[in-house]
Amino acid sequence: MDDVLGFFWLIGVSTILPLLSIWFSTRKKINETNKRQEILMAVLEKNPDMDVEQWLEKLSPKKKLLKEKLLTKLLWGIICLIAGIGVIGVSIYGAVNIIGGTDDPIVGIVLGGGIFAVGIALVASFFVGKKFLAKEIEAEEKQKIQE
């Protein structure tokens, strides 16, 4: 019976959970688009002479600037670095003091190393993106100031 429950647990976590998260995010985007469409249709019914493009710009979600996107990468990179170091430290501490029911810290070290590697990749992508997108960031800032 334990083997069957373990199999269902594996199937649920590896297939059903990701599919549900994708379905929920897709439904959210569809609902947002439908709400924007309903608002636009109501405005056009009340005032058919108005500028549609202006309303579409007002209703569309605000796009993040390149600088904001890069800073978000840096933020998550630092969070992953700190979390990875923390997981590695806790697993080594647990192995030294033999707490948590195991004296084998390999799982924690591998998990922490993976999180740490993701953090390094995000921080590196921040610096590379900052270097390559410097001109575009300056152009966006000038455009933002002019508006």
Side-chain angles (χ1 to χ4, degrees), residues 76-77 80-85 88 109-125:
W76 281 105
C80 287
L81 284 172
I82 292 171
I85 291 170
I88 291 171
I109 291 173
V110 169
L111 180 66
I115 296 170
F116 187 76
V118 169
I120 288 175
L122 287 171
V123 171
S125 71

Side-chain angles (χ1 to χ4, degrees), residues 3-143:
D3 292 338
V4 173
L5 290 177
F7 176 74
F8 285 133
W9 175 254
L10 177 67
I11 295 296
V13 170
S14 65
T15 58
I16 295 173
L17 189 62
L19 288 175
L20 280 176
S21 69
I22 292 170
W23 183 71
F24 282 132
S25 65
T26 305
R27 290 294 304 160
K28 179 183 174 188
K29 289 179 184 177
I30 290 171
N31 287 338
E32 288 174 355
T33 305
N34 288 342
K35 291 291 182 185
R36 274 192 235 115
Q37 183 181 8
E38 289 175 11
I39 292 170
L40 185 61
M41 295 303 276
V43 167
L44 284 175
E45 287 175 1
K46 292 181 181 178
N47 190 3
D49 297 332
M50 86 176 320
D51 186 20
V52 176
E53 290 181 21
Q54 180 184 16
W55 266 94
L56 286 175
E57 288 178 13
K58 287 182 182 179
L59 289 177
S60 67
K62 300 292 182 191
K63 294 183 179 179
K64 285 187 173 183
L65 298 174
L66 287 174
K67 191 173 188 178
E68 291 174 337
K69 290 178 184 178
L70 285 175
L71 288 174
T72 302
K73 279 187 180 183
L74 179 64
L75 171 71
W76 281 105
I78 292 171
I79 289 171
C80 287
L81 284 172
I82 292 171
I85 291 170
V87 170
I88 291 171
V90 166
S91 63
I92 291 174
Y93 176 78
V96 170
N97 292 326
I98 309 174
I99 61 172
T102 181
D103 58 349
D104 187 19
I106 298 298
V107 174
I109 291 173
V110 169
L111 180 66
I115 296 170
F116 187 76
V118 169
I120 288 175
L122 287 171
V123 171
S125 71
F126 165 76
F127 286 112
V128 170
K130 182 180 166 186
K131 181 180 177 182
F132 283 117
L133 299 173
K135 292 179 183 175
E136 288 85 356
I137 291 171
E138 286 181 25
E140 278 187 348
E141 287 177 356
K142 287 179 183 177
Q143 183 182 10

